[in-house]
Amino acid sequence: MPKIEVSRQDLFSIACIDDPGDDKLADILSLVKGEIDASEGDKLKIELNDTNRPDLWCVEGVARALRCWNSGAEKHLTELPEPDMDIFVDPGLEKVRPFVAAFAACGWAPDERELDALIDVQEKLAASFGRNRKTAAAGFYLLDEIEFPVRYRTASPETSFVPLGFDQEMTLSEIPEETETGRTYAHLLAGSELWPLLEDTGGNVLSFPPVLNSQTTGRVSAGDSRLFCEVTGTDWDTVQLSATILACNLQDRGAEIIPVRVNYPEPYPEKTVVSPVIFSDLMITSMDSVRGVLGVDISPESVRKALQRMDYASVKLDETGITGILPPYRRDGIHAVDMIEDIAISLGLSSFEPLLPEQFTLGRCAPIEDLADAVRLLLIGTDCEEILRPVLTSREKVMDLSRTPKSPVSIANPMTAEYGVVRNTLLPGLLEVESTSAHAAYPHRIFETGEVLIDCEEGYCRTEVLLTCLVCGNKADFGDIHSIIGSVCHARKLEMSLADTDDARFIPGRCAAITIDGRVSGVIGELHPLVLDNWGISRPASAFEIALSALKG
Amino acid sequence: MTEERDLHPLEEKLLVYLEENGESSDAEIIERSDLPDEGSYRRAAEWLLSRELVREISRDEEEFVELGPMGIGNLEAGVTPELAMLREVARGAGSLQDIQKNTLFDRGRWGSAFGSLTKTGHLKKDADGIHLTCEPEETVFRKIWDLVYELLSGGGELKMTRLPEDVVSIINDRSPKRGKSRAEFTVNVLVTRVLDITEEGRIALRAAKESITIGAITPEILADGSWRNAKFRRYQLDIPPSQIHTGRLHPYRQFLDTVRKRFMALGFAEMRGSLAENEFWNNDALFMPQFHPARDIHDVYFLSDGIKVPPPERELEERVAEVHENGGNTGGRGWGYSFSRKQSLQAILRSQGTALSARTLASNPAIPGKYFGIARCFRYDQVDSTHLPDFFQVEGIVLGEYINLRHLLGLLRLFAEEIAGASDFKFLPGYFPFTEPSVEMHIKHPVLGWVEGGGAGLFRPEVCLPLGIDVPVIAWGLGLDRMAMLAMGIEDIRDLITPDLSRLRGIRVLPDHLLKGKVDENA
């Protein structure tokens, strides 16, 4: 979940409310599905739970939601002037980083704190929404340093400029080696021989996206009131929405937004795109749906009010139909239920009186769990202690230490080898108990019922529930373990028979396949001293392992 | 004798010996009497002394010293740190740092030797460094080496009375009663007593000899009727019982059983799933877009090449793909990307219990219906005191024609009260890709205050319709590990699956209290 750090003073000043204190604020933040993560002095950390609302990942967005809820929907990016700045995109970029959007913001001079907030949202959008700058990354520049039109072109690795924060020229190929951001982001351009470059008519480099901006045009500081913003990336929607969100934020701060025309060559589908794009997604539903989902007899007028407080500027409705338009910074409405949720949030969940479902339904236990419960009680009756072990384990424990005949299913991307396979037997888990419990009073009689993953024919895997039981102590021979499974089978009214078998885990001649009601269901034996030695177990041990379902009868 | 209990057989044996032999020392009695061992003798003697049937004629205590673990270390080093330090200073070492360069002892031991030597005045420290105030080979530390270490170099112990007073004083300082594992010396006290029988003892013994006293009742005694004229020896009843390691259920499984019982009592039928799923059931069927960050290789475990989970029916898969791409017949516009069948069939370890719900919805469930399942799920987390490689999640769904948001809130309230035993709770809007509206419940735990009480919502039409469900569905899920830790009174999540049997035996839970926040602190 995205987390943002904001200044309280900044937040409440643009939200146009008094600081309500943390307790009250926690309730208010539910409007934006936000939670206070930390609060210290003026610093406030907020976690935003909605991963589809990048517009909320900044102080301006959160403040806007609070403001609108108090005083209704606002106008965003309306009555913008005609674009008089152009960006020309060169052929070839479609293979590297195809899209660019841009606009200028004039007449608002950020102070230090506001500039920090601006940089924060630019970083947050690129990191979370823009997939670590892959699908979109933004940059800010001094408008007056740029000679239009700007070219978005491909450049050879030998092209050089002075990167932001440095005092000497570097070639594009040096940047991934010499700079921190270069090392972090250059992989995004891997595989391409030509790299993207934004350059103005005077030959000044604006940026080597998405890696570094230039020192000449990119050194924005507090007090600069004429800014140029660009967003480049690989995904059209992400690039445009990022630019639109940034434009809305700057307009909220008091800047005048001047659009930019982007001119694309063949083979792009569109020749020119003016940004910021004013999105206006239509949301259509009916009063019946709203009432059905929310379970309340709400009036059309209340629906309109609720939506306006969620910044739906235009809501058309009659007794049956509701049409809302999402504000331009939102594209997360993909079904009418999304608008219905906005109504619920606007009204506040605490305004809905909870009800219990009235229809009668049967409570029922899953058959395998029913069986497991019965068998677990039988084992408790034989003085066994129940064990619970993790499902993930290591190949070494299953194969090398325990000598399991069949190989377990491996994880392709394990975090550590220690949890690199999915268990296919419970026995290693019980052996591990023995290897760490020499100090616990003997005798040990332990068992586990649990899920394992079996690799069956044709590459398919299947989850199965096993029952494994182990005895260990000064005397823990075949007879001791045999009597346990024997008494369980007796209690379950099952016929059990044993047949000699070979299994590397057990001593030859003291190991048998268990047949229950005519079906081979598991194995029983005295554990081989090799296995005990592998695990550092200093007393004899015997065990059986069977498919739990065999005890169903 | 009416109030007195009868003689225990051990007591009788000791009295018999003393009556026959008169005054006797501990050693004589242990060696010559019929008492089975020293422990039996000491117990019998204590009982009889307290009843004044025997008396103590004399009592001698003698102290012996032997080397403790640290002393044995010194012996191996061939010198004590104090003596070594005095010698180093005599050789010109001017500061503690100089001496600590010598690795014969670690820094800590050099430091404490320095502390004791300045305390005893053998060393003085001033601005120039440290100085000797004595000749090392004439100090008590040299004496200890010669008189104690040398003589004990082959093991054994020494009588303390044979040692000079200054040596004894040092030994007493360095033989703590606690922390013996780091002691330089251990001092053992040997008590020698001489006992004799008293007049009361003789009377008691005579009375005992005249009557038949029954200890353990045997089938023979019952058969021959000899018990009719006998006395039953009185037992000492207030001794601690011997412990039985009973069979027992695992405390976490007991917790899970309790949760299951509560759900069944609320009319929920239990769902089961499998550890491995394909992405289709884990994510796609839940309308989680294939580009969703939680589906990343860093969040989900993929099974190795070649291992598969049976694919969904082709028609179902096509319906789900269409919903992702353009909303299909749900009235929505979908996520607007090109659905990958290959990714959909990738086998993974189940990352959320909601996969169970997806499968249940697709299998023609009862309407109205209520289902729950407890599922082991897997997330990409480093194992530590708050994360396990796999964790338990409970998942519930409710289907019904007239189900709405208020029923969702009502059910959550029921869960807060019935399952979590919460005193208070609140609802907050949440976000999950598969539900809308989405609600997060926070519950007030009696110990911890506000904690997450699970995520919930109404499944989106994009989830329900392709699976063949055209009524609203409430879905609810919660990780159980943390609730279990609270209920069981454990602080390290790894203890839930500990392989240490004695640790496990130490976790005591009361199943009937598990969901009320009452815990046994003595875990």
Side-chain angles (χ1 to χ4, degrees):
Chain A
M1 312 284 178
K3 278 184 195 171
I4 59 170
E5 193 177 300
V6 306
S7 147
R8 291 181 90 92
Q9 225 190 324
D10 197 17
L11 173 65
F12 297 124
S13 112
I14 35 178
C16 304
I17 55 172
D18 294 331
D19 189 334
D22 282 351
D23 283 349
K24 195 86 186 294
L25 180 63
D27 290 340
I28 296 176
L29 285 179
S30 67
L31 262 184
V32 293
K33 300 184 183 176
E35 286 171 50
I36 299 178
D37 189 55
S39 165
E40 197 191 332
D42 186 52
K43 260 193 215 159
L44 195 61
K45 257 198 194 154
I46 303 174
E47 182 170 5
L48 282 316
N49 290 325
D50 195 335
T51 48
N52 274 348
R53 289 286 304 270
D55 60 293
L56 292 173
W57 304 345
C58 53
V59 64
E60 293 89 350
V62 173
R64 182 187 305 125
L66 306 191
R67 204 169 57 228
C68 292
W69 195 71
N70 282 322
S71 47
E74 296 177 346
K75 287 181 173 174
H76 301 284
L77 306 178
T78 51
E79 298 163 21
L80 297 186
E82 282 300 304
D84 61 357
M85 292 167 284
D86 280 281
I87 294 180
F88 288 94
V89 179
D90 280 9
L93 275 159
E94 71 275 7
K95 296 192 196 84
V96 198
R97 196 167 174 82
F99 305 108
V100 60
F103 62 88
C106 301
W108 169 67
D111 62 19
E112 290 287 353
R113 193 181 68 194
E114 291 162 339
L115 187 65
D116 284 348
L118 196 64
I119 305 297
D120 276 354
V121 56
Q122 167 204 341
E123 294 287 338
K124 184 65 73 184
L125 281 175
S128 300
F129 187 49
R131 291 289 163 100
N132 282 324
R133 301 195 183 183
K134 180 174 190 280
T135 52
F140 284 99
Y141 309 86
L142 296 167
L143 181 62
D144 297 333
E145 297 287 329
I146 302 169
E147 205 177 315
F148 283 89
V150 165
R151 257 181 86 196
Y152 183 39
R153 69 176 181 94
T154 54
S156 77
E158 285 73 46
T159 317
S160 64
F161 72 104
V162 182
L164 188 60
F166 291 83
D167 52 14
Q168 61 190 31
E169 289 206 343
M170 272 185 216
T171 63
L172 301 193
S173 58
E174 281 168 345
I175 287 175
E177 280 147 33
E178 305 286 326
T179 69
E180 190 61 42
T181 41
R183 273 186 287 278
T184 313
Y185 298 108
H187 72 274
L188 295 173
L189 303 171
S192 175
E193 282 170 23
L194 294 173
W195 289 347
L197 200 72
L198 275 165
E199 189 181 70
D200 76 356
T201 299
N204 287 317
V205 172
L206 275 72
S207 162
F208 167 32
V211 184
L212 266 174
N213 295 351
S214 94
Q215 174 71 7
T216 331
T217 50
R219 47 167 215 289
V220 176
S221 41
D224 291 326
S225 66
R226 291 173 58 75
L227 303 177
F228 176 75
C229 171
E230 57 77 18
V231 183
T232 60
T234 58
D235 180 69
W236 193 88
D237 285 296
T238 314
V239 166
Q240 297 299 351
L241 185 59
S242 299
T244 302
I245 289 170
L246 288 168
C248 286
N249 289 356
L250 283 157
Q251 192 182 48
D252 280 5
R253 290 286 194 179
E256 183 198 354
I257 303 300
I258 306 162
V260 169
R261 184 168 39 235
V262 178
N263 303 273
Y264 288 108
E266 293 291 329
Y268 285 85
E270 278 164 297
K271 281 207 166 62
T272 60
V273 178
V274 174
S275 54
V277 173
I278 322 293
F279 294 107
S280 53
D281 289 345
L282 272 187
M283 306 290 292
I284 301 169
T285 187
S286 65
M287 283 305 296
D288 281 351
S289 297
V290 173
R291 289 170 180 151
V293 171
L294 302 184
V296 290
D297 189 21
I298 189 173
S299 72
E301 200 40 44
S302 304
V303 167
R304 180 205 302 280
K305 258 190 208 143
L307 284 174
Q308 281 172 343
R309 299 180 83 178
M310 297 302 276
D311 207 12
Y312 284 69
S314 156
V315 181
K316 283 192 203 125
L317 49 80
D318 51 44
E319 186 45 44
T320 52
I322 305 171
T323 305
I325 297 176
L326 275 180
Y329 51 81
R330 278 185 67 179
R331 300 224 66 205
D332 61 309
I334 56 177
H335 192 281
V337 288
D338 295 307
M339 182 163 73
I340 298 177
E341 187 191 61
D342 280 341
I343 297 170
I345 293 173
S346 181
L347 295 171
L349 288 179
S350 55
S351 73
F352 294 87
E353 195 196 336
L355 276 183
L356 277 182
E358 285 157 14
Q359 289 121 328
F360 175 78
T361 58
L362 267 181
R364 212 182 301 123
C365 186
I368 187 78
E369 289 297 330
D370 231 355
L371 175 62
D373 289 349
V375 170
R376 287 163 66 211
L377 282 183
L378 287 175
L379 282 157
I380 299 306
T382 65
D383 269 351
C384 287
E385 293 175 82
E386 188 179 29
I387 299 293
L388 178 67
R389 303 304 335 272
V391 172
L392 294 189
T393 182
S394 72
R395 181 164 293 278
E396 188 199 7
K397 285 178 187 171
V398 177
M399 302 304 291
D400 306 345
L401 298 185
S402 308
R403 296 164 45 107
T404 306
K406 278 191 178 167
S407 184
V409 172
S410 294
I411 291 168
N413 57 331
M415 183 161 250
T416 61
E418 202 185 341
Y419 301 107
V421 303
V422 190
R423 66 182 181 184
N424 59 350
T425 157
L426 305 179
L427 190 55
L430 298 189
L431 288 167
E432 190 173 7
V433 168
E434 285 311 321
S435 79
T436 38
S437 302
H439 54 290
Y442 285 95
H444 296 171
R445 297 159 74 86
I446 57 177
F447 77 98
E448 180 173 12
T449 61
E451 291 167 311
V452 299
L453 197 64
I454 308 282
D455 176 2
C456 9
E457 63 280 10
E458 289 173 17
Y460 287 113
C461 59
R462 189 182 77 236
T463 300
E464 195 168 316
V465 181
L466 299 184
L467 162 66
T468 305
C469 181
L470 179 146
V471 294
C472 181
N474 290 337
K475 179 180 176 302
D477 60 22
F478 190 88
D480 295 304
I481 195 72
H482 193 189
S483 65
I484 297 179
I485 181 66
S487 52
V488 170
C489 285
H490 176 75
R492 300 286 308 165
K493 302 185 182 176
L494 295 168
E495 284 297 324
M496 177 184 78
S497 63
L498 302 184
D500 266 18
T501 189
D502 283 326
D503 187 314
R505 293 173 286 187
F506 302 101
I507 298 173
R510 303 184 188 182
C511 165
I514 303 175
T515 301
I516 294 175
D517 272 5
R519 203 160 58 111
V520 176
S521 308
V523 63
I524 182 170
E526 277 184 29
L527 282 154
H528 201 289
L530 261 173
V531 172
L532 300 180
D533 195 49
N534 286 345
W535 279 101
I537 298 169
S538 57
R539 289 170 211 237
S542 298
F544 71 79
E545 179 159 88
I546 59 168
L548 181 67
S549 57
L551 296 174
K552 179 111 185 105
Chain B
M1 284 289 289
T2 47
E3 288 301 308
E4 278 292 347
R5 61 176 175 82
D6 301 316
L7 289 179
H8 186 276
L10 293 176
E11 290 176 312
E12 197 174 325
K13 283 189 175 132
L14 179 52
L15 287 179
V16 167
Y17 181 85
L18 289 175
E19 192 176 44
E20 285 171 8
N21 297 283
E23 290 180 16
S24 309
S25 72
D26 296 331
E28 289 166 352
I29 300 172
I30 291 163
E31 198 185 320
R32 296 187 201 142
S33 75
D34 287 343
L35 287 155
D37 53 41
E38 182 175 348
S40 310
Y41 158 66
R42 295 208 180 273
R43 278 204 301 280
E46 288 320 308
W47 296 333
L48 292 171
L49 281 166
S50 70
R51 296 170 68 183
E52 295 179 352
L53 301 181
V54 303
R55 66 195 166 95
E56 209 172 80
I57 304 293
S58 66
R59 180 186 183 90
D60 254 347
E61 291 189 4
E62 208 165 5
E63 287 183 325
F64 291 86
V65 59
E66 62 178 328
L67 292 181
M70 198 170 270
I72 291 168
N74 292 345
L75 196 64
E76 281 160 9
V79 67
T80 62
E82 289 80 7
L83 190 53
M85 176 167 278
L86 292 172
R87 286 172 180 163
E88 289 276 338
V89 178
R91 255 182 251 130
S95 73
L96 180 57
Q97 285 73 16
D98 282 351
I99 298 169
Q100 280 175 333
K101 282 178 198 145
N102 185 330
T103 56
L104 190 56
F105 298 104
D106 63 36
R107 294 174 57 85
R109 295 213 54 208
W110 283 122
S112 53
F114 179 69
S116 49
L117 287 170
T118 45
K119 211 167 128 198
T120 55
H122 289 91
L123 287 180
K124 277 213 160 30
K125 187 179 179 194
D126 59 26
D128 301 335
I130 51 181
H131 309 282
L132 280 181
T133 60
C134 58
E135 163 53 45
E137 308 308 327
E138 285 166 13
T139 59
V140 64
F141 295 103
R142 173 60 197 258
K143 255 197 260 177
I144 289 178
W145 188 263
D146 293 346
L147 296 180
V148 182
Y149 279 94
E150 292 283 357
L151 292 178
L152 291 180
S153 60
E157 48 186 25
L158 282 175
K159 267 191 189 174
M160 289 278 270
T161 46
R162 289 212 197 129
L163 298 171
E165 224 168 273
D166 53 351
V167 170
V168 168
S169 149
I170 299 264
I171 288 175
N172 282 335
D173 281 352
R174 291 164 184 233
S175 53
K177 295 275 180 288
R178 284 158 182 269
K180 281 187 180 164
S181 62
R182 290 182 52 78
E184 187 172 350
F185 303 108
T186 306
V187 173
N188 302 312
V189 181
L190 183 69
V191 180
T192 313
R193 288 181 303 195
V194 173
L195 302 181
D196 197 3
I197 188 167
T198 61
E199 199 42 44
E200 290 81 2
R202 288 179 212 282
I203 295 168
L205 187 57
R206 234 181 347 265
K209 279 179 176 165
E210 281 161 11
S211 72
I212 306 169
T213 307
I214 293 176
I217 300 175
T218 62
E220 290 75 26
I221 290 175
L222 293 176
D224 66 19
S226 60
W227 57 271
R228 290 180 193 277
N229 301 313
K231 282 181 145 186
F232 295 100
R233 181 167 56 75
R234 302 182 85 88
Y235 289 166
Q236 192 186 345
L237 300 175
D238 59 348
I239 52 171
S242 57
Q243 215 184 334
I244 304 172
H245 288 294
T246 60
R248 67 195 291 258
L249 293 170
H250 191 279
Y252 192 12
R253 291 294 301 262
Q254 283 185 296
F255 174 84
L256 297 174
D257 290 345
T258 313
V259 173
R260 288 174 53 225
K261 271 195 244 167
R262 293 285 168 101
F263 269 100
M264 291 187 268
L266 295 172
F268 282 78
E270 190 171 21
M271 307 183 276
R272 293 277 309 179
S274 67
L275 296 173
E277 277 293 2
N278 44 36
E279 292 215 39
F280 180 84
W281 289 110
N282 196 81
N283 300 318
D284 294 329
L286 293 167
F287 196 54
M288 281 178 74
Q290 293 186 323
F291 54 79
H292 194 279
R295 303 183 59 165
D296 198 79
I297 188 148
H298 301 299
D299 284 276
V300 179
Y301 289 110
F302 294 160
L303 296 186
S304 271
D305 289 348
I307 301 293
K308 291 176 289 186
V309 170
E313 279 173 35
R314 192 70 208 216
E315 273 177 32
L316 172 60
E317 187 189 78
E318 274 164 17
R319 285 200 299 274
V320 167
E322 201 184 347
V323 162
H324 277 245
E325 291 183 345
N326 57 33
N329 63 351
T330 63
R333 64 173 161 91
W335 292 111
Y337 72 99
S338 170
F339 186 87
S340 156
R341 178 159 198 256
K342 183 161 172 269
Q343 184 180 345
S344 191
L345 296 183
Q346 170 70 45
I348 60 171
L349 289 178
R350 175 172 61 204
S351 74
Q352 49 191 7
T354 322
L356 266 60
S357 299
R359 282 194 179 265
T360 300
L361 291 184
S363 62
N364 198 20
I367 297 172
K370 299 210 290 267
Y371 298 88
F372 84 101
I374 291 180
R376 274 184 119 151
C377 301
F378 303 83
R379 290 262 166 94
Y380 218 68
D381 275 323
Q382 203 68 256
V383 174
D384 58 28
S385 64
T386 55
H387 296 94
L388 287 180
D390 40 84
F391 58 96
F392 286 89
Q393 218 177 40
V394 63
E395 172 78 16
I397 51 173
V398 176
L399 307 82
E401 206 160 341
Y402 302 106
I403 290 292
N404 61 47
L405 177 67
R406 290 172 61 196
H407 296 114
L408 166 67
L409 301 181
L411 267 177
L412 287 176
R413 182 173 71 181
L414 191 66
F415 295 154
E417 288 164 354
E418 286 296 309
I419 310 288
S423 51
D424 198 4
F425 53 90
K426 62 185 174 191
F427 305 126
L428 298 169
Y431 176 77
F432 309 102
F434 31 86
T435 52
E436 195 86 1
S438 304
V439 179
E440 272 183 31
M441 179 164 64
H442 287 206
I443 54 179
K444 195 156 195 182
H445 185 272
V447 181
L448 280 195
W450 289 106
V451 295
E452 285 180 26
L458 295 170
F459 270 137
R460 298 184 68 100
E462 294 98 323
V463 174
C464 293
L465 291 174
L467 298 178
I469 301 295
D470 59 359
V471 297
V473 179
I474 289 172
W476 179 82
L478 169 66
L480 287 173
D481 290 7
R482 198 170 145 74
M483 255 173 78
M485 288 167 70
L486 290 169
M488 290 160 58
I490 63 174
E491 279 164 15
D492 189 323
I493 198 167
R494 288 167 292 199
D495 282 351
L496 290 176
I497 53 162
T498 180
D500 182 340
L501 206 49
S502 53
R503 200 173 184 89
L504 189 60
R505 286 170 176 172
I507 303 174
R508 289 178 286 167
V509 299
L510 309 176
D512 47 333
H513 289 193
L514 269 174
L515 290 181
K516 294 180 196 160
K518 287 186 192 166
V519 293
D520 182 349
E521 299 297 336
N522 187 13

